Amino acid sequence: MRWKTRNQMLYLFLLPFLFITVAFMLLPLIAMVISSFTADGGGAWTLSQYATALTNKFYLVALKNSIFISFFSSIAGILIALFAAYSITRFSAKSREFILMLSNMTSNFAGVPLAFAYMILLGSNGLFTLLFKQWGWDVFASFDLYSWTGLAFVYFYFQLPLAILMLYPTYFGIHQQWRESATLLGASTFQFWRSIGIPVVLPGIAGTFSILFANAMGAYATAYALVGSNYNLLAIRIGTMVSGDIYVKPELAGALAVILAIIMVVAIWFNETMMRRVRRDLQ
């Protein structure tokens, strides 16, 4: 009887979480999907919103730009994180904990605060921009934070620490016994990584890439705070059609959001598939 009462109390404590999940995730998701299949202004069921989203050049360019910047920032983040995460594994336990703590804090520093921080430091009248200009250094003479290059640079900033956190455990799948056995058999360091190390960490790299890609595809606050509507990104187009000052098209925004959600779900599914391989190799 006491065990049953305890279980009921646990379910009671879960009610706030279930309420938040239903109210802020499930209901908006259902409303978004339903809206994407209705005509402008509501009413008749139609596929015209998806036809517009997949044929209109303006929205196709937004999708292409989002995929491009997500792919670029993910690749750049992984290339640096591969060496950074491996270097962390060679440090002492105390140093590893400190670096991982910093990486965790940095990965959560995104959105509007990140955009404002870059404006203060590297904007047209930013601290470093004016300081280096006064010193006669042309370090940021050709760098424009509010351009496509600046946006990609900010994306790379919040992708890198997340990639480090995700790739760091993958290296522990390479057992020390494998290194010793390869050395005893006369294998060089290059041969070890080519035949053993890279195949072990490759699923983790692929899974990390999919998460970084989905993370960048869904980024909205950072891009909007930095460049506003000046650049045609899918997340920004969805936001402007829901709360824009000129025109509002929630039905078309719903169709674009569903397309974005499908891309992100595929990326997450791919990550889970790769992670299962990593966990299997670690056993």
Side-chain angles (χ1 to χ4, degrees):
M1 190 67 179
R2 179 181 299 177
W3 179 258
K4 186 176 181 180
T5 303
R6 182 181 299 176
N7 287 340
Q8 292 176 348
M9 290 296 296
L10 292 176
Y11 291 140
L12 183 63
F13 289 133
L14 282 175
L15 286 179
F17 171 74
L18 294 176
F19 173 77
I20 293 175
T21 302
V22 172
F24 294 98
M25 293 185 63
L26 294 182
L27 291 181
L29 176 63
I30 295 172
M32 178 187 72
V33 174
I34 293 176
S35 176
S36 69
F37 287 101
T38 58
D40 291 339
W45 297 97
T46 180
L47 293 175
S48 62
Q49 308 297 346
Y50 288 96
T52 302
L54 296 174
T55 57
N56 189 290
K57 187 177 180 180
F58 182 68
Y59 302 119
L60 289 178
V61 170
L63 178 61
K64 183 188 72 173
N65 289 342
S66 296
I67 291 176
F68 175 77
I69 195 170
S70 300
F71 181 83
F72 173 79
S73 61
S74 300
I75 290 295
I78 283 182
L79 289 178
I80 303 300
L82 276 173
F83 298 97
Y86 178 74
S87 299
I88 294 174
T89 61
R90 315 307 296 176
F91 293 157
S92 63
K94 188 175 182 179
S95 299
R96 289 200 302 265
E97 292 178 0
F98 178 74
I99 296 175
L100 292 176
M101 179 191 69
L102 291 179
S103 299
N104 189 24
M105 293 174 57
T106 308
S107 65
N108 286 284
F109 184 65
V112 176
L114 176 61
F116 284 166
Y118 266 87
M119 291 178 189
I120 294 171
L121 296 177
L122 298 176
S124 301
N125 296 308
L127 174 64
F128 291 146
T129 304
L130 296 178
L131 184 62
F132 290 158
K133 184 178 180 180
Q134 185 177 358
W135 289 348
W137 297 354
D138 294 332
V139 178
F140 298 107
S142 60
F143 177 76
D144 184 7
L145 180 63
Y146 310 105
S147 66
W148 187 262
T149 303
L151 186 62
F153 186 73
V154 175
Y155 270 60
F156 169 73
Y157 175 87
F158 65 75
Q159 294 280 64
L160 178 59
L162 180 60
I164 291 176
L165 290 174
M166 297 189 67
L167 287 176
Y168 169 75
T170 305
Y171 284 104
F172 288 97
I174 304 175
H175 301 293
Q176 184 63 29
Q177 296 89 333
W178 299 349
R179 297 174 182 270
E180 296 172 353
S181 299
T183 302
L184 290 175
L185 292 174
S188 63
T189 302
F190 173 78
Q191 291 173 327
F192 169 80
W193 281 105
R194 183 189 63 184
S195 303
I196 301 175
I198 293 179
V200 171
V201 301
L202 190 59
I205 295 173
T208 299
F209 172 80
S210 65
I211 290 297
L212 295 180
F213 183 83
N215 184 47
M217 283 290 294
Y220 169 75
T222 301
Y224 187 78
L226 190 64
V227 298
S229 300
N230 296 329
Y231 282 89
N232 195 9
L233 296 175
L234 190 58
I236 293 179
R237 293 281 74 79
I238 294 172
T240 55
M241 283 188 289
V242 173
S243 58
D245 296 332
I246 301 177
Y247 62 91
V248 177
K249 290 187 177 181
E251 295 82 11
L252 181 56
L256 292 173
V258 169
I259 294 173
L260 177 61
I262 291 174
I263 295 175
M264 296 178 68
V265 167
V266 171
I268 294 173
W269 169 81
F270 184 74
N271 171 73
E272 182 60 28
T273 302
M274 293 296 99
M275 286 299 99
R276 279 201 297 266
R277 289 193 56 182
V278 173
R279 288 192 289 267
R280 184 185 62 193
D281 293 337
L282 291 177
Q283 291 177 353

